[in-house]
């Protein structure tokens, strides 16, 4: 008898798992409420561990053909002055729609697709229910508890892709704001900004009901606000002002950043969490999608080697530590990057490190 697996969420975590489960042993159903959604305008930096997973699913070589390797860059202050130079970073950039398409292509035909929202995952007819449904996970809510609601952070993220490569790669840590401008695939530029904002959070509440889809952010308003924040002074980095001037609301993704609360378990009964449902974090480490793929890889490996209950126990033992450690580290980095009070000291310290450490 095959093990029946219901995967809720068909994005990076869910597709990776569906691609890795052996069709001879697992009867897989993939539930995705918005199969058409590809998040144009965004790119993902992937670390070597994620590339090993892409190789394991058979998508590595094709993904490399679609990737850009920003070979050098620098961490800069808000004016653009380099603090720490970086060369040969082991991170590679792919466009998110490309990654989704590549993963879709390696999911076996035997995987049943249900293009609908799952509201009651506990009722799904399956031996294993996998929550690959992101930070607002219905699986986390129904199987692990209502109290584990997504946490709204004070930060608003904007990102987009523009034609033509940038003059130089850099991440800019300002005084209360952060930006990045990086070479992306197909001779394009990926840019991102983060600043404290109230856009997209309902007045008088912490963003309304956090289990519902986040409050829509008006992209035009968000772009105008970012232009004010990053262009307010003449000494601000020209590269950031340039991408914000060229961006149009149609080409920009603006979203508030939410986090998953700290989890004590990733398995409850026949439910298991992978990806952002287990550990959505601020984007500062560039690790969310990487960890989602690693979760899927580890879970598929354990399920192929052991009976269900011991496979889930092994999965939890291996993946709970990073799920607990990475989000607070990422948040601490965000606070440091956006710190106003620490900014002069921080920049002096980083410049000192930059002088001491070879690029
Ligand atoms: C600004 C920003 C920049 C980032 N940059 C990077 C980066 O450079 N590198 C990196 O590794 N990560 C990055 N990330 C993180 C990365 O985007 C996420 O970690 C990743 O998308 C998580 O994948 P996932 O499959 O777990 O969840 P998601 O991508 O959130 O997918 C969840 C899926 O589940 C579906 N779904 C939800 N609920 C239901 C339901 N009830 N029924 C059916 N379907 C449902 C959704 O439609 C969605 O398709 C960034 C994130 C942000 C916000």
């Amino acid at each position: 008898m095959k093990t029946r697996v219901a995967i809720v969420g068909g994005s990076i975590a869910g597709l990776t798992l569906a691609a890795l489960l052996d069709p001879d042993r697992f009867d897989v159903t993939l539930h995705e409420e918005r199969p058409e959604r590809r998040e144009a305008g965004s790119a993902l930096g992937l670390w070597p561990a994620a590339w090993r997973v892409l190789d394991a699913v058979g998508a590595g070589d094709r993904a490399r053909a679609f990737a850009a390797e920003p070979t050098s860059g620098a961490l800069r202050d808000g004016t653009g002055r380099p603090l720490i130079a970086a060369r040969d970073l082991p991170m590679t950039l792919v466009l998110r729609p490309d990654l989704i398409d590549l993963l879709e292509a390696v999911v076996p035909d035997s995987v049943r697709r249900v293009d609908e929202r799952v509201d009651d995952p506990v009722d799904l007819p399956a031996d294993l229910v996998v929550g690959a449904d992101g930070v607002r996970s219905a699986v986390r809510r129904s199987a692990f508890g209502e109290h584990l609601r997504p946490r709204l952070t004070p930060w608003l993220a904007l990102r987009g892709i523009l034609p033509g490569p940038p003059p130089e790669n850099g991440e800019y840590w300002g005084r209360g704001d952060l930006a990045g401008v990086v070479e992306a695939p197909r001779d394009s530029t990926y840019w991102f900004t983060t600043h404290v904002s109230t856009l997209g959070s309902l007045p008088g509440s912490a963003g309304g009901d956090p289990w519902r889809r986040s409050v829509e952010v008006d992209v035009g308003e968000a772009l105008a606000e970012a232009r004010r924040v990053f262009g307010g002074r003449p000494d601000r980095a020209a590269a950031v002002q340039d991408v914000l001037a060229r961006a149009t609301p149609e080409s920009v993704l603006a979203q508030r950043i939410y986090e998953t609360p700290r989890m004590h378990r990733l398995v409850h009964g026949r439910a298991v969490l992978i990806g952002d449902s287990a550990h959505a974090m601020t984007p500062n480490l560039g690790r969310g999608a990487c960890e989602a793929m690693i979760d899927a890889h580890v879970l598929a490996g354990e399920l192929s080697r052991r009976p269900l209950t011991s496979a889930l126990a092994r999965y939890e033992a291996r993946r709970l530590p990073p799920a607990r450690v990475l989000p607070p580290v990422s948040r601490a980095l965000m606070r440091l990057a956006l710190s106003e009070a620490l900014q002069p000291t921080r920049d002096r310290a980083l410049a000192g490190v930059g002088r001491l450490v070879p690029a």
Side-chain angles (χ1 to χ4, degrees):
M1 264 275 275
K2 290 188 191 179
T3 306
R4 293 166 308 156
V5 181
I7 305 175
V8 183
S11 176
I12 294 166
L15 290 170
T16 307
L17 182 64
L20 286 167
L21 289 174
D22 178 358
D24 291 336
R25 297 186 47 198
F26 299 95
D27 181 1
V28 180
T29 307
L30 186 59
H31 302 259
E32 170 53 54
E33 66 171 328
R34 286 181 293 165
E36 76 296 343
R37 189 156 181 261
R38 286 289 185 270
E39 287 200 337
S42 80
L44 294 165
L46 297 183
W47 295 92
W51 285 97
R52 286 194 285 277
V53 179
L54 283 173
D55 284 332
V57 298
D61 287 341
R62 289 199 60 213
R64 278 181 195 91
F66 283 109
E69 292 188 11
T71 45
S72 63
L75 177 61
R76 299 169 187 276
D77 69 10
T79 70
R81 183 174 64 104
L83 300 171
I84 301 181
R87 270 199 285 282
D88 301 326
L89 273 178
M91 188 193 253
T92 313
L93 214 69
V94 291
L95 300 182
R96 189 179 171 105
D98 285 347
L99 180 64
I100 299 279
D101 284 347
L102 289 165
L103 290 172
E104 285 276 7
V106 289
V107 171
D109 291 341
S110 56
V111 171
R112 204 171 305 110
R113 306 293 192 120
V114 181
D115 294 343
E116 276 172 16
R117 178 174 172 78
V118 176
D119 283 315
D120 296 308
V122 283
D123 293 340
L124 290 171
D127 305 304
L128 176 63
V129 176
V130 181
D133 47 352
V135 68
R136 281 175 201 80
S137 169
V139 177
R140 191 174 76 244
R141 182 182 198 175
S142 65
F144 291 73
E146 175 75 33
H147 62 290
L148 293 168
R149 59 180 60 88
R151 278 208 287 244
L152 177 70
T153 71
W155 302 300
L156 179 72
L158 274 76
R159 38 192 174 147
I161 308 279
L162 288 167
E168 58 198 8
N169 297 312
E171 182 159 314
Y172 301 79
W173 288 11
R175 197 176 164 84
D177 51 63
L178 171 161
V181 180
V182 192
E183 180 189 343
R186 300 194 202 105
D187 278 338
S188 61
T189 296
Y190 174 53
W191 64 268
F192 52 89
T193 64
T194 307
H195 65 277
V196 175
S197 173
T198 54
L199 292 178
S201 56
L202 292 177
S205 76
D209 174 2
W211 286 110
R212 284 187 22 237
R213 185 163 303 154
S214 57
V215 181
E216 287 294 319
V217 176
D218 181 314
V219 183
E221 244 182 277
L223 189 54
E225 186 174 89
R227 284 179 182 146
R228 279 197 300 278
V229 169
F230 290 90
R233 293 201 317 266
D235 64 344
R236 297 308 304 265
V240 179
Q241 299 206 35
D242 173 60
V243 289
L244 286 172
R246 287 161 61 206
T248 56
E250 301 72 43
S251 66
V252 173
L253 264 181
Q255 67 190 107
R256 295 205 61 92
I257 298 174
Y258 281 81
E259 293 174 309
T260 302
R262 197 154 202 232
M263 298 298 292
H264 299 288
R265 314 225 35 191
L266 298 181
V267 175
H268 193 276
R270 61 188 186 110
V272 59
L273 302 180
I274 63 174
D276 270 14
S277 67
H279 46 61
M281 60 187 100
T282 64
N284 308 69
L285 294 172
R287 288 214 66 105
C290 300
E291 296 301 316
M293 284 192 268
I294 298 169
D295 286 348
H297 190 227
V298 170
L299 180 60
E302 294 297 346
L303 288 170
S304 71
R305 280 191 291 273
R306 300 170 210 280
L308 186 56
T309 312
S310 45
L312 292 179
R314 281 287 301 158
Y315 167 76
E316 185 175 77
R318 290 175 65 185
R319 297 306 296 163
L320 188 57
R324 286 170 64 82
V325 168
L326 291 174
V329 172
S330 196
R331 193 184 321 122
L333 207 55
M334 178 72 101
R335 288 195 191 289
L336 181 66
L338 270 78
S339 171
E340 294 194 36
L342 286 180
Q343 179 262 326
T345 319
R346 177 199 72 195
D347 289 359
R348 271 197 300 278
L350 289 172
V353 173
R355 279 191 294 275
L356 286 175
V357 181

